[in-house]
Amino acid sequence: MKIFDIFERNGLSIGLGVFIVISIGGIVEIIPSFYDNARPLNYSKPYTALELTGRLIYITEGCVECHSQLVRPFKIETDRYGHYSLSGEYAYDRPFLFGSRRIGPDLFRVGARRSVDWLEAHFLDAESTSPGTLMPDYTDLFTNSVDYETVYSDMYTQKVVFHVPYDEEGMPPLGEFEDMKESLLDEAKEIGPRFKTKAIRDHLENDEVKEVVALVAFLLRRR
Amino acid sequence: MEHKTSTIKYDDRVAKGFIITTLVWGTLGLTFGLWIATALVVPSINMGQDWLNFGRFRTAHTSALLYGFVLSTTFAVWYYGSQRLLKIPLAAPKLAFFHLITYNLVILSAVFGAIVGATTARRYSEFEWPVALFLVISWISWGMHIFIMIVSRRERTLYVSIWYFVATFLGIGIVYVFNNLEVPTIFVTGMGDWWHSVSLYSGTNSANIHWWFGHNAVGFVLTVPIVGVSYYMIPKRAKQVLFSYRLSLWAFWGLIFLYLWVGPHHLLFSSLPDWIQTLGMLFSLLLILPSWGSMINLLLTASGKWELLRTDPVFKFLIIGSTFYGLSTLEGPIQAIRSVNALSHYTDWMVGHVHSGALGWVGFTLIGAIYVIVPEIWKRPLYSNKIAEQQFWIQTLGIVLYAVSMWIAGITQGLMWRTTDVYGGLVYSFLDTVLVLQPYYIIRAVGGSFYLYGFCMLGYNIYKTISPARYKKEQTSAATVV
């Protein structure tokens, strides 16, 4: 095996050889479509402050471990979950949350089929809406308040580093930290009164947003 | 022939360290696994505590096992084997200790991060940027050690296992770094959680790059180093040379070339461009060649010594491990075919596939390796062959229960999702397809508990083997090389 001899004699040549062979697959499959895949659809908008807050909670709680957000182009899927997913719909997802297991149903267009009521009841006691479900209760979402700083940090980074069009015409506002706090609160007060849990509404009166409000806003946006 | 006799003082302290930590991470990781398997049977097991939920512990489970158990054992085999294969004592022992300590701190913070919910939600690279950065530093210290050992070796030929270790270091290094490129938000605004970051990639690109990484976490954590360990342990235990050196070379280069192409099979029918999906599927099928090349090579190395399967439980672990490699590397490519994937994706069949590979191939090969090297580095015979024998059967039963229940569960759910009536309407609600899985989830949890029980037997056996040595200061061993 003459051609392999060179690799056997020298630690650096085997390192270099392995490095080159390993790199090829990624270069071919990732680089060519990089630009096209990242293009938003005409009507896609970045997440608002409240929605993005919900998205971060979705990530923290590991919802992606049981729920996918990718509808495949089969009739049995589009009947169940709505139109199949388009690449441009994900343009503002950092990172992607496709998921790879459906212990629970797909949530990509869940906002089109579930209401605030239903979602609230589901988080309080999943058994009440879906008898026999494997989803645990998420009662902490009703007591924890949202973390404005991290959300602002995330949005601001998206705006200045990745040129996500916050504050542009027809796009969600960001502004300074205080502006963002205000717009987040306004959004929360829009859907807040639809919650049945009195504590959630009371806290909103005192300008305090509980996590569940943000998570519901994020899921309602999924349509 | 001129014979020159010299003595090499093997320094196995770091190998010992990794053996002990790997037993800890293995036990913890399997316990987490049993916890989440139970949570799918009794969801109220979280006792109202969000941090005890499936979503948090699934990540803790994979981090503790993939990176804690699998790679720690790989490192133990490296620190033990590199001295013997390259015929030099441990080079740069301080660097090796640095690696041992930092690596375990990384896993500790990764598991802790998963449980408190500090996660990037990118499967197998959920670590937030400070942990990811720390991991890269620790990883580079291992890489430096590999190249220092290779450069200063006294054995001209690099045995094939060494190739696999080099590929593990570079492969994981490349895909991990590129997948984890992200901007820590604290440096941009100075507020919010300091560990939070925003990924450099968005949407479909993020998915594409992620599964390029993700499948190579499977490739370069659960396959490449394990093949390397197997190429070392099976010939050693069978006391025979490798069946074919030529086959090992083709299988090596084939494997590391093809593996990097197959990630898109995780994204079939997604918004990823079709040509990338097709390439992913095609290369997944091609991957059967080098995988089966290695499997056949390893099994044929044992030919003529099959009686060991009756007498030596350690050999059983190694051989059955390679057999599971053959099974998994056939099952995986089949699942990567579009039409099969349409059924199997999103179901428990995937979970079954991963676990027959992880528990059977990876787990058994590494357990075999631990049984081979512990008596050598602690220089005392194994405490009990009988326990190892019982452990083998208990764990094999566990894997069979796990894999078979998940095959049935996965295919059942996949078929129910697509069942339509004569008018083309869906027959089952989503919830119907969840309720039907309960018996299989119970069987899975039982299978998992058997495996965990067997792993505790391993821990006990190793503890009994090494415990008298704790009071002796002798830390280096000598061997004569001709």
Side-chain angles (χ1 to χ4, degrees), chain A residues 127-146:
Chain A
E127 193 65 34
S128 69
T129 53
S130 326
T133 179
L134 301 178
M135 177 151 143
D137 308 336
Y138 280 89
T139 44
D140 285 5
L141 297 176
F142 291 76
T143 48
N144 296 344
S145 299
V146 300

Side-chain angles (χ1 to χ4, degrees), chain B residues 58-249:
Chain B
R58 204 217 76 109
T59 308
H61 165 62
T62 47
S63 297
L65 286 177
L66 247 81
Y67 300 110
F69 168 65
V70 175
L71 284 180
S72 291
T73 315
T74 303
F75 296 146
V77 175
W78 164 259
Y79 286 111
Y80 157 87
S82 60
Q83 301 178 55
R84 280 133 180 115
L85 291 172
L86 300 171
K87 301 271 189 289
I88 48 163
L90 189 75
K94 276 187 186 148
L95 185 66
F97 272 107
F98 175 82
H99 178 218
L100 170 68
I101 292 161
T102 51
Y103 191 76
N104 281 290
L105 290 176
V106 167
I107 305 300
L108 193 66
S109 13
V111 169
F112 181 73
I115 293 171
V116 300
T119 168
T120 64
R122 290 191 304 253
R123 186 154 292 180
Y124 312 135
S125 72
E126 292 99 344
F127 314 165
E128 297 281 9
W129 71 268
V131 183
L133 204 62
F134 195 26
L135 174 61
V136 170
I137 292 168
S138 182
W139 193 252
I140 289 172
S141 70
W142 181 48
M144 281 166 64
H145 193 264
I146 293 179
F147 286 101
I148 291 171
M149 287 294 280
I150 290 179
V151 168
S152 50
R153 72 188 190 274
R154 284 195 298 189
E155 167 66 53
R156 193 167 157 278
T157 312
L158 287 176
Y159 183 62
V160 63
S161 293
I162 304 286
W163 297 42
Y164 278 97
F165 288 124
V166 171
T168 303
F169 166 67
L170 288 172
I172 294 292
I174 294 168
V175 295
Y176 191 81
V177 166
F178 280 101
N179 188 41
N180 274 280
L181 293 179
E182 54 204 6
V183 178
T185 52
I186 191 85
F187 297 135
V188 182
T189 60
M191 59 165 82
D193 293 336
W194 59 275
W195 58 84
H196 186 68
S197 63
V198 177
S199 168
L200 214 59
Y201 317 111
S202 72
T204 307
N205 285 333
S206 162
N208 191 14
I209 291 170
H210 175 76
W211 282 111
W212 171 72
F213 159 84
H215 198 79
N216 289 293
V218 181
F220 287 80
V221 175
L222 298 179
T223 306
V224 171
I226 319 303
V227 176
V229 169
S230 222
Y231 268 128
Y232 187 15
M233 293 301 156
I234 290 185
K236 185 176 163 64
R237 199 70 181 182
K239 297 196 173 58
Q240 298 201 123
V241 293
L242 197 59
F243 171 71
S244 163
Y245 191 58
R246 177 182 295 215
L247 184 55
S248 74
L249 290 176

Side-chain angles (χ1 to χ4, degrees), chain A residues 1 3-4 7-12 14-19 21-26 28-30 32-35 37-38 56 59-66 68-77 79-81 85-88 90-106 130-141 147 149-150 152-154 156-158 160-162 177, chain B residues 40 43 46 48 50 53-56 58-59 117 119-123 126 147 150 153 156-158 163 166-167 170-171 174 183 185 188-189 191-193 196 198-212 220 245-246 249-250 252-253 256-257 260-261 264 267-271 273 275-276 279-280 341-342 345-348 351 413 416-418 420 424 426 428-431 434-435 437-438 441:
Chain A
M1 299 311 294
I3 60 165
F4 294 119
F7 296 118
E8 262 177 53
R9 291 203 185 122
N10 189 325
L12 294 179
I14 186 179
L16 197 66
V18 168
F19 184 85
V21 169
I22 285 179
S23 308
I24 300 168
V28 174
E29 287 185 345
I30 293 171
S33 64
F34 212 83
Y35 176 74
N37 280 343
L56 295 182
I59 290 173
T60 297
E61 296 302 332
C63 305
V64 70
E65 305 295 354
C66 295
S68 60
Q69 285 195 20
L70 183 116
V71 184
R72 297 181 295 173
F74 311 146
K75 186 169 182 303
I76 51 151
E77 294 226 343
D79 278 3
R80 213 185 281 278
Y81 304 120
S85 306
L86 304 173
S87 186
Y90 296 105
Y92 298 115
D93 280 23
R94 287 176 193 272
F96 78 114
L97 292 173
F98 287 7
S100 50
R101 174 76 185 91
R102 284 179 184 158
I103 294 172
D106 190 278
S130 326
T133 179
L134 301 178
M135 177 151 143
D137 308 336
Y138 280 89
T139 44
D140 285 5
L141 297 176
D147 173 5
E149 279 89 357
T150 305
Y152 181 74
S153 232
D154 194 296
Y156 187 77
T157 306
Q158 291 198 40
V160 298
V161 182
F162 300 109
F177 180 56
Chain B
L40 291 185
N46 70 348
D50 286 5
N53 279 346
F54 183 94
R56 306 274 182 102
R58 204 217 76 109
T59 308
T119 168
T120 64
R122 290 191 304 253
R123 186 154 292 180
E126 292 99 344
F147 286 101
I150 290 179
R153 72 188 190 274
R156 193 167 157 278
T157 312
L158 287 176
W163 297 42
V166 171
L170 288 172
I174 294 168
V183 178
T185 52
V188 182
T189 60
M191 59 165 82
D193 293 336
H196 186 68
V198 177
S199 168
L200 214 59
Y201 317 111
S202 72
T204 307
N205 285 333
S206 162
N208 191 14
I209 291 170
H210 175 76
W211 282 111
W212 171 72
F220 287 80
Y245 191 58
R246 177 182 295 215
L249 290 176
W250 285 111
F252 172 80
W253 290 102
I256 65 165
F257 173 69
L260 278 293
W261 293 75
L267 298 166
L268 295 178
F269 299 108
S270 75
S271 53
W275 68 270
I276 305 178
L279 274 183
N341 193 270
H345 194 53
Y346 292 137
T347 73
D348 276 319
V351 181
Q413 195 176 30
M416 284 176 80
W417 284 339
R418 58 164 64 182
T420 50
L426 298 167
Y428 298 107
S429 73
F430 188 87
L431 206 52
V434 175
L435 296 173
L437 301 182
Q438 270 308 300
Y441 281 178

Side-chain angles (χ1 to χ4, degrees), chain A:
Chain A
M1 299 311 294
K2 271 275 179 300
I3 60 165
F4 294 119
D5 276 4
I6 179 162
F7 296 118
E8 262 177 53
R9 291 203 185 122
N10 189 325
L12 294 179
S13 60
I14 186 179
L16 197 66
V18 168
F19 184 85
I20 291 169
V21 169
I22 285 179
S23 308
I24 300 168
I27 292 171
V28 174
E29 287 185 345
I30 293 171
I31 293 174
S33 64
F34 212 83
Y35 176 74
D36 262 6
N37 280 343
R39 222 163 29 175
L41 298 176
N42 286 337
Y43 54 82
S44 342
K45 286 183 184 174
Y47 294 102
T48 65
L50 190 65
E51 289 161 1
L52 192 76
T53 310
R55 191 171 195 271
L56 295 182
I57 295 163
Y58 188 93
I59 290 173
T60 297
E61 296 302 332
C63 305
V64 70
E65 305 295 354
C66 295
H67 292 283
S68 60
Q69 285 195 20
L70 183 116
V71 184
R72 297 181 295 173
F74 311 146
K75 186 169 182 303
I76 51 151
E77 294 226 343
T78 52
D79 278 3
R80 213 185 281 278
Y81 304 120
H83 196 282
Y84 59 82
S85 306
L86 304 173
S87 186
E89 295 179 280
Y90 296 105
Y92 298 115
D93 280 23
R94 287 176 193 272
F96 78 114
L97 292 173
F98 287 7
S100 50
R101 174 76 185 91
R102 284 179 184 158
I103 294 172
D106 190 278
L107 299 181
F108 191 54
R109 301 188 196 284
V110 66
R113 39 177 214 276
R114 298 298 185 205
S115 60
V116 173
D117 257 13
W118 193 94
L119 290 168
E120 182 193 7
H122 194 58
F123 288 129
L124 259 183
D125 177 13
E127 193 65 34
S128 69
T129 53
S130 326
T133 179
L134 301 178
M135 177 151 143
D137 308 336
Y138 280 89
T139 44
D140 285 5
L141 297 176
F142 291 76
T143 48
N144 296 344
S145 299
V146 300
D147 173 5
Y148 291 103
E149 279 89 357
T150 305
V151 177
Y152 181 74
S153 232
D154 194 296
M155 291 175 83
Y156 187 77
T157 306
Q158 291 198 40
K159 184 185 170 187
V160 298
V161 182
F162 300 109
H163 309 294
V164 171
Y166 284 119
D167 289 333
E168 286 176 20
E169 206 192 325
M171 293 294 174
L174 175 61
E176 301 289 314
F177 180 56
E178 292 302 326
D179 303 333
M180 170 263 175
K181 259 176 109 165
E182 209 172 295
S183 52
L184 193 154
L185 204 55
D186 287 347
E187 273 184 82
K189 282 182 173 167
E190 238 171 77
I191 64 163
R194 284 145 75 186
F195 275 79
K196 285 217 172 72
T197 312
K198 189 167 176 298
I200 297 289
R201 297 199 306 268
D202 291 349
H203 283 299
L204 268 176
E205 292 297 313
N206 304 325
D207 292 354
E208 207 179 315
V209 184
K210 293 300 171 191
E211 285 186 336
V212 69
V213 179
L215 188 55
V216 166
F218 169 64
L219 293 174
L220 287 179
R221 137 107 190 217
R222 304 265 56 146
R223 26 178 98 232

